[in-house]
Structures are given as structure tokens and as C-alpha cells.
Amino acid sequence: MARSKNPEIRILVSLGWGQKDYSLGSKNAREFAASVRDFIERHRLDGIDLDYEISDDPIDLDGFRELVREIRKSIGGDKLFTITPDESSMSVWDGSLVDEVFDYVQL
């Protein structure tokens, strides 16, 4: 319905917080990324936003790196990949990596 009213709209799914999605996803990053791609395609979405709040998620920097690289590779360059960090995420943050894989950072 939104696309019929505004053909230029971009619709993204947002991966939320509080379920340890990042650390669990990083355990099998390729499979997780494929499921993200499948969800985006099935629902004809334009990409994914990571609501990156990790105060209760035990992901480490290596896990973050692998996870976001796999998601980017899986969804391709034609889909939007954005991240919305909070202050807790700064402990697991790599600015050059963020520049490499994300289209937007939303503060």
C-alpha cells in the first residue's frame, strides 16, 4: 500500500535488540545473512537496518566484523544496509568497517 502511494519509498526491516540476535547470528554468520537476504526478498524490501544496542548482547568485535560483512555480501550492493547505534555499541565498533559495509549511520 505504501508503494502504491509513494513509488519512491524505501522500506527496510529493522533487526531489534534484546534477543542477543547479534551474538547468536555471528555464531553462523553466513547462514544468518542468507536468512536476512531471504526475508528481504520474500517481502520485497529495500534493505535492513541494524538497531545496534548491545548492552545485553555478548558479541565481540570479531563477531561484529564477520556478521556485518556476511550480511552485506548476502544482500548485495543494491540493497540498503544501515545501522542505528547507541552508546553501548561503541565498545564493539570499527569505524572503517562501518564505512566499508553500511550505506548510512543513523544516530
Side-chain angles (χ1 to χ4, degrees), residues 13-32:
V13 63
S14 182
L15 179 63
W17 61 276
Q19 302 298 314
K20 298 183 176 38
D21 289 330
Y22 300 106
S23 58
L24 292 173
S26 70
K27 291 181 187 285
N28 192 334
R30 186 171 294 152
E31 184 177 321
F32 184 82

Side-chain angles (χ1 to χ4, degrees), residues 70-89:
E70 286 295 334
I71 292 172
R72 171 45 82 194
K73 184 168 46 172
S74 184
I75 67 172
D78 62 323
K79 297 296 183 187
L80 290 172
F81 192 17
T82 67
I83 190 167
T84 308
D86 77 347
E87 68 279 352
S88 69
S89 65

Side-chain angles (χ1 to χ4, degrees), residues 5-6 15 18 28 31 35 40 50 65 80 87 100 104:
K5 293 182 186 273
N6 179 358
L15 179 63
N28 192 334
E31 184 177 321
S35 73
I40 289 170
L50 302 185
R65 287 179 177 134
L80 290 172
E87 68 279 352
E100 170 190 328
Y104 298 101

Side-chain angles (χ1 to χ4, degrees), residues 19-69:
Q19 302 298 314
K20 298 183 176 38
D21 289 330
Y22 300 106
S23 58
L24 292 173
S26 70
K27 291 181 187 285
N28 192 334
R30 186 171 294 152
E31 184 177 321
F32 184 82
S35 73
V36 168
R37 181 198 61 236
D38 292 347
F39 186 88
I40 289 170
E41 289 174 357
R42 182 173 46 251
H43 296 285
R44 298 178 325 163
L45 301 172
D46 298 301
I48 182 170
D49 173 68
L50 302 185
D51 182 7
Y52 194 55
E53 302 176 32
I54 62 163
S55 59
D56 64 344
D57 191 320
I59 192 168
D60 60 16
L61 186 53
D62 289 336
F64 171 71
R65 287 179 177 134
E66 181 180 7
L67 182 64
V68 299
R69 282 186 173 132

